[in-house]
Amino acid sequence: MSHNPRRFIRPVRLIVSVEGDTVASIDRLMKHGRQHGHRNRAEFVRRAIERELARCQSDDFHTP
């Protein structure tokens, strides 16, 4: 998985719907500028998806 969205070889646009509260929470995190100072919701979501994929593919993850 790429860690630089500007270097995608074959990018695919993904449209997702989330609750307004979730977007507000993301905006608050980005506004504080700590770990999520990139101020880009799409990048935040891309990184979250990659983290979840890595977690699901680890040996510790068990499906029901």
Side-chain angles (χ1 to χ4, degrees):
M1 285 181 251
S2 173
H3 293 289
N4 185 345
R6 292 176 184 88
R7 296 187 185 231
F8 288 148
I9 294 170
R10 293 181 10 203
V12 175
R13 199 170 287 271
L14 177 67
I15 298 172
V16 297
S17 297
V18 296
E19 295 290 334
D21 292 345
T22 303
V23 174
S25 295
I26 292 169
D27 288 347
R28 276 194 302 276
L29 282 172
M30 289 188 304
K31 197 175 276 188
H32 290 334
R34 293 180 194 143
Q35 184 177 357
H36 306 289
H38 43 72
R39 298 179 187 227
N40 182 331
R41 288 184 196 144
E43 179 66 6
F44 183 94
V45 172
R46 185 188 67 79
R47 289 181 183 188
I49 290 169
E50 288 189 352
R51 277 193 304 272
E52 185 65 14
L53 280 173
R55 187 180 75 85
C56 290
Q57 293 171 357
S58 74
D59 293 339
D60 298 336
F61 185 79
H62 301 286
T63 56

